[in-house]
Amino acid sequence: MSNLTLSVSPHIRGKITTRTIMLDVIIAMCPVLVMSVYHFGFRALLLELISAAACVACEYVWEKLRKQPITVMDLSAVVTGLMLAFNVPVTMPIWELIVGDIIAIIVVKMLFGGIGCNFMNPALVGRVALFVSFTGDMTNYSFSRHVSVDALTSATPLAALDKLNFGDFWELFIGNHGGVMGEVCSLAILIGFVYLVVRKVIKPIIPLTYMGTTLLFSWIFGQNQPVLALFSGGVIFGAVFMATDYVTTPFTNKGKLIFGIGCGFLTAAIRCFSNSAGGVSFAILIMNLLVPYINDLTRTRPFGGVKAK
Amino acid sequence: MSRSRLPGARVPHWKGTAQMAPRRMPVPPEVAIPMSMNIGAPAKPVVKPGDEVKVGQLIAEAGGFVSSPIYASVSGKVKRIDEMLGSNGRFMPAVVITSDGEQTVYEGIAPPEVTDLQSFLAAVRDSGVVGLGGAGFPTAAKLTVKDNSLIKYIIVNGAECEPYVTSDTRTMLDDAPYVMKGVELLKKYLGDPKVIIGIEDNKPQCIKRFNELNTAGLAEIHPLPSLYPQGGEKVLIYNTTGRIVPEGGLPIDAGAIVINCTTLAFIAKYMETGMPLVEKVVTVDGSAVKTPDNVIVPIGTPMSAVFEFCGGFKSEPRKVFYGGPMMGIAVPTLDAPIMKNTNAIVALDDKDAHIPEPTACIRCGLCIDHCPLNLMPVEIHEAYEKRDGAMLETLKVNLCMECGCCSFVCPARLNHVQTHKLAKNVLRAYQAEQKAAAEKKKAAEEAKKEAAAK
């Protein structure tokens, strides 16, 4: 009768696991995925699936070779793969995308110790690597098949901000313009945002402060139509999916607030002063690097704690 | 009063035994009564093998101020005084009594004479009562305060926030008048402080019962949100009074005393009957138990006999623990005895006893969000891995009450509570080292001064 297990309490656990969280993120990205196919056709779906599969394969092979426990079932590689695919235009050559996947998973994630240990967002580094390596392919923004507004077809909306008026706003909002696969449809991203918040996977602090600060500083820096700046390019996708990655964002609400504001400020600054199409990526990556410092500065105050003498 | 609520975890309730009035189990053939059933010094046996004892007869006297006497729970003969394996993994003495099945009551049982504070505290002490909610702190020691005017609040703990456990629920339903009598006693002898009865709102029956009885307004009935751990002392004090127990302090430092409702009801009963603490209402539940129930059990009865009384097991038990699943203490064998502070015994089947494999921390921060005391388990984990005593001091792992919220919510299934227990040892060692170093430095400086003076 001494078949009894001994362990420290608690003897029950909640239902949330790393896998359920990642599954929720994937579900939240589904509207984006559907809209990318709607706008760009089935090649979008093909790229997204290949990217996800490549990430999973990278992680699996790496762990197999290193004789480590296989962790692909936590679905985090799928999330990374989808995110990276959403960040490239539909015309991207497949092999280039796979290079990005390898950089994201092997270099940024596995070399630093796997899930939870990377200090920058893998998908974002993958994106930046592709951006500097294949600048032409990465900025070859294709247009949605449903584009109807001339102004939107003339260039990427971000480059043509001055020519737009609010009548075109809805078109912009549902993604009828040019851009990378996952970023064009703000509506789909915001549906995912609401899902993540309702499911308590993320807190709304970072996305809201990020978007708010971008708006504010775009206006301060003299953008003609800051609202359009917000709904074009990658701010919304970055704020909702990239800047809320647990590993590379601060723990506490105060820390998240600082992080969101920092991202927003840097995005607006980079966009206004350097005209870089990678404003969102660099802004989030720079803030990723500051996370350990933000965490140190924003520790919680233990309840009833007395300051050390 | 507007103040933010302390965080916690939404744990399941599983209070399926709440409607089951306690049933008395048959007298077991043998009981093994441990001498360590309370926080503080163990009791000292005053019987020897061969002695005849009766129910309620003293078998061990208190081993110090923070200790409690122990009484025979069955009538019969002392078989031996033996070392037995306690749930903390250490061996401790226990008095083993062979029962004669008669349950003859000891002749000396008589209601205590209580006239003032001193005689009240003496009676509480003699009753053998300890914190029956699970902590097992000797109640008389808790109620002994330097100056009664320090006691601003007495909070009666009816939160019972652990899943499964319903023995306090039964006290509140069956013995509510005794709880109220206990409130009267406390008010009478402890300087008439404000009394608050805190009950989680998942027990509306209990709240209703007390509202009915509280017509004279003796106490404030305070419904608490069903958010684990409402019954944690510091959490309860804050949520009912807004007061904060400082680090290293006792509730009395916040002007409060917390007493479990079953403990209080027992004290009131003792004042009427003089029968000391010899039996306990125990909730028997868990996925391996055939018919979960509330059972009145003589102290020292082996768990196996109690499970048997509940129809035995429907599948082989794989994990058995005292108390609820959030803070319960797992036992290595079913011979483990029912103790004074046992409020429940739970047996889990193979599936529920499975311990999930921990995976890598994804730094989601859920452990921080759900810590009632605002600690940062994720950072404590890192500091412990590095054996960083200074960091553990900054992070105040010493404040952790091991409620288990962090482990419960962790998506990576990390065993935070276990880490915190180990980290506390690292911190203690670090602090001892610091203290020794400081003393050495001071001694060296003094020696230098002396040398200079010469």
Side-chain angles (χ1 to χ4, degrees):
Chain A
M1 243 331 181
S2 59
N3 257 345
L4 299 178
T5 312
L6 287 176
S7 70
V8 171
S9 59
H11 306 292
I12 52 171
R13 297 301 179 96
K15 289 193 176 68
I16 295 169
T17 64
T18 303
R19 196 169 154 191
T20 63
I21 289 172
M22 294 303 161
L23 195 62
D24 267 335
V25 177
I26 294 170
I27 292 171
M29 289 195 292
C30 280
V32 178
L33 190 137
V34 169
M35 287 312 281
S36 73
V37 177
Y38 167 80
H39 285 302
F40 301 111
F42 276 95
R43 189 165 200 274
L45 184 65
L46 183 74
L47 284 177
E48 283 147 8
L49 293 181
I50 287 175
S51 181
C55 282
V56 171
C58 283
E59 188 166 317
Y60 180 84
V61 171
W62 175 268
E63 285 169 341
K64 204 79 189 164
L65 290 177
R66 300 282 323 267
K67 298 192 171 59
Q68 288 169 340
I70 305 297
T71 58
V72 294
M73 289 313 285
D74 67 21
L75 300 179
S76 62
V78 176
V79 171
T80 303
L82 287 177
M83 273 189 196
L84 185 57
F86 288 148
N87 272 293
V88 303
V90 70
T91 49
M92 192 80 182
I94 289 170
W95 74 270
E96 290 179 3
L97 178 59
I98 292 176
V99 169
D101 291 328
I102 293 172
I103 290 168
I105 293 295
I106 302 292
V107 180
V108 188
K109 188 176 174 189
M110 303 318 286
L111 279 182
F112 285 91
I115 185 167
C117 299
N118 49 291
F119 61 93
M120 290 198 280
N121 186 324
L124 268 182
V125 180
R127 184 204 162 139
V128 169
L130 292 182
F131 191 74
V132 293
S133 314
F134 312 108
T135 314
D137 288 334
M138 277 298 275
T139 50
N140 180 16
Y141 297 134
S142 7
F143 301 105
S144 165
R145 300 182 296 179
H146 305 276
V147 167
S148 58
V149 180
D150 289 344
L152 289 167
T153 57
S154 60
T156 71
L158 200 52
L161 272 180
D162 298 351
K163 298 173 198 146
L164 289 174
N165 60 57
F166 282 100
D168 304 326
F169 179 75
W170 174 250
E171 299 286 323
L172 192 61
F173 191 58
I174 60 167
N176 287 342
H177 56 93
V180 298
M181 293 192 290
E183 289 173 356
V184 289
C185 182
S186 304
L187 177 66
I189 300 166
L190 291 177
I191 291 171
F193 173 56
V194 171
Y195 177 82
L196 288 177
V197 171
V198 168
R199 294 279 297 163
K200 294 199 173 137
V201 175
I202 62 168
K203 292 180 185 171
I205 305 172
I206 292 178
L208 294 183
T209 49
Y210 190 165
M211 292 189 255
T213 319
T214 307
L215 203 61
L216 179 70
F217 281 100
S218 300
W219 175 70
I220 290 174
F221 293 152
Q223 286 256 14
N224 281 346
Q225 292 177 331
V227 177
L228 290 177
L230 183 64
F231 285 96
S232 55
V235 176
I236 294 187
F237 187 84
V240 172
F241 290 109
M242 304 287 218
T244 53
D245 168 41
Y246 292 145
V247 184
T248 54
T249 51
F251 291 130
T252 62
N253 291 347
K254 218 198 282 172
K256 288 184 201 307
L257 192 74
I258 296 172
F259 184 89
I261 291 172
C263 284
F265 169 76
L266 287 174
T267 301
I270 296 172
R271 278 185 170 182
C272 289
F273 301 119
S274 115
N275 203 20
S276 163
V280 172
S281 308
F282 286 112
I284 299 175
L285 287 179
I286 290 168
M287 292 310 290
N288 282 169
L289 294 177
L290 294 177
V291 165
Y293 303 99
I294 297 174
N295 275 339
D296 278 355
L297 291 173
T298 55
R299 282 207 192 94
T300 58
R301 240 189 61 204
F303 181 75
V306 175
K307 275 223 174 94
K309 285 153 230 148
Chain B
M1 224 181 299
S2 79
R3 55 170 179 268
S4 61
R5 199 168 67 187
L6 295 179
R10 297 260 169 218
V11 301
H13 300 311
W14 294 335
K15 299 211 183 253
T17 55
Q19 300 309 319
M20 297 177 183
R23 293 191 299 145
R24 190 174 294 277
M25 69 176 283
V27 188
E30 192 179 284
V31 293
I33 305 177
M35 295 293 104
S36 282
M37 295 193 284
N38 51 265
I39 290 179
K44 288 189 217 126
V46 296
V47 290
K48 51 188 188 308
D51 284 2
E52 294 279 343
V53 292
K54 292 175 183 164
V55 178
Q57 186 176 339
L58 184 77
I59 57 168
E61 58 187 19
F65 175 68
V66 183
S67 184
S68 182
I70 297 171
Y71 300 86
S73 58
V74 296
S75 60
K77 198 183 255 179
V78 176
K79 191 173 162 194
R80 57 176 196 272
I81 297 173
D82 213 355
E83 291 280 299
M84 79 182 291
L85 185 63
S87 53
N88 58 3
R90 293 202 183 99
F91 283 90
M92 57 181 178
V95 173
V96 181
I97 304 170
T98 311
S99 159
D100 59 12
E102 301 291 326
Q103 289 303 78
T104 322
V105 174
Y106 180 58
E107 308 79 35
I109 301 289
E113 258 185 61
V114 174
T115 50
D116 57 1
L117 174 64
Q118 286 319 312
S119 55
F120 173 69
L121 290 176
V124 172
R125 193 168 172 75
D126 289 343
S127 74
V129 72
V130 300
L132 300 180
F137 190 83
T139 310
K142 183 187 268 186
L143 297 181
T144 308
V145 178
K146 223 178 345 179
D147 179 358
N148 271 348
S149 67
L150 294 174
I151 309 172
K152 303 285 184 239
Y153 296 96
I154 289 183
I155 302 152
V156 179
N157 191 347
E160 198 168 59
C161 50
E162 278 265 13
Y164 288 126
V165 190
T166 61
S167 50
D168 282 350
T169 304
R170 287 321 308 183
T171 298
M172 290 187 274
L173 292 178
D174 305 330
D175 286 339
Y178 280 110
V179 177
M180 292 310 286
K181 259 182 207 160
V183 170
E184 261 175 70
L185 286 169
L186 294 180
K187 282 178 90 81
K188 187 169 167 192
Y189 293 113
L190 295 178
D192 200 25
K194 182 172 181 182
V195 176
I196 301 171
I197 303 178
I199 307 170
E200 264 195 11
D201 59 14
N202 65 351
K203 291 178 271 293
Q205 267 181 302
C206 300
I207 296 172
K208 193 167 155 249
R209 186 92 179 87
F210 277 107
N211 278 326
E212 284 163 7
L213 284 174
N214 191 36
T215 43
L218 270 183
E220 178 194 321
I221 316 299
H222 193 115
L224 301 161
S226 297
L227 182 71
Y228 179 86
Q230 290 302 309
E233 206 163 53
K234 288 178 179 179
V235 178
L236 185 63
I237 292 170
Y238 182 76
N239 284 356
T240 52
T241 69
R243 294 186 171 217
I244 298 173
V245 180
E247 181 178 0
L250 292 169
I252 194 65
D253 295 318
I257 284 181
V258 176
I259 187 164
N260 169 270
C261 60
T262 303
T263 310
L264 190 56
F266 170 78
I267 291 172
K269 266 190 196 171
Y270 176 76
M271 298 302 164
E272 274 184 14
T273 65
M275 176 55 84
L277 185 62
V278 294
E279 60 184 20
K280 194 64 217 296
V281 173
V282 174
T283 301
V284 185
D285 209 333
S287 50
V289 176
K290 201 169 230 166
T291 46
D293 207 344
N294 282 307
V295 187
I296 305 171
V297 188
I299 285 164
T301 304
M303 279 186 181
S304 50
V306 186
F307 283 122
E308 202 132 306
F309 178 69
C310 293
F313 298 112
K314 47 183 187 199
S315 62
E316 205 196 331
R318 280 308 168 96
K319 189 191 254 183
V320 177
F321 48 85
Y322 288 113
M326 291 303 286
M327 290 187 75
I329 297 165
V331 296
T333 145
L334 289 175
D335 297 334
I338 299 304
M339 298 195 286
K340 283 181 181 177
N341 58 339
T342 307
N343 54 7
I345 52 174
V346 178
L348 301 180
D349 64 15
D350 198 44
K351 187 172 147 270
D352 288 351
H354 174 72
I355 299 170
E357 195 61 37
T359 56
C361 171
I362 54 170
R363 304 172 74 79
C364 60
L366 282 176
C367 52
I368 300 169
D369 290 344
H370 289 84
C371 177
L373 303 183
N374 262 334
L375 302 176
M376 303 185 83
V378 47
E379 299 225 311
I380 292 171
H381 183 90
E382 277 169 29
Y384 169 72
E385 293 286 312
K386 295 182 208 149
R387 304 297 187 272
D388 185 346
M391 193 48 148
L392 289 172
E393 193 169 45
T394 308
L395 295 169
K396 295 202 187 298
V397 66
N398 52 310
L399 284 174
C400 172
M401 57 177 168
E402 297 167 18
C403 66
C405 287
C406 47
S407 301
F408 180 81
V409 299
C410 180
R413 300 295 182 241
L414 293 170
N415 297 309
H416 292 293
V417 174
Q418 184 172 322
T419 306
H420 292 188
K421 280 172 183 271
L422 295 167
K424 284 178 187 177
N425 286 341
V426 173
L427 175 60
R428 271 192 288 267
Y430 167 79
Q431 284 171 336
E433 219 172 79
Q434 291 292 102
K435 209 178 152 195
E439 269 164 23
K440 210 174 154 190
K441 201 175 153 196
K442 209 176 154 195
E445 265 168 26
E446 263 163 35
K448 219 178 180 181
K449 248 186 230 164
E450 253 172 57
K454 271 179 193 169

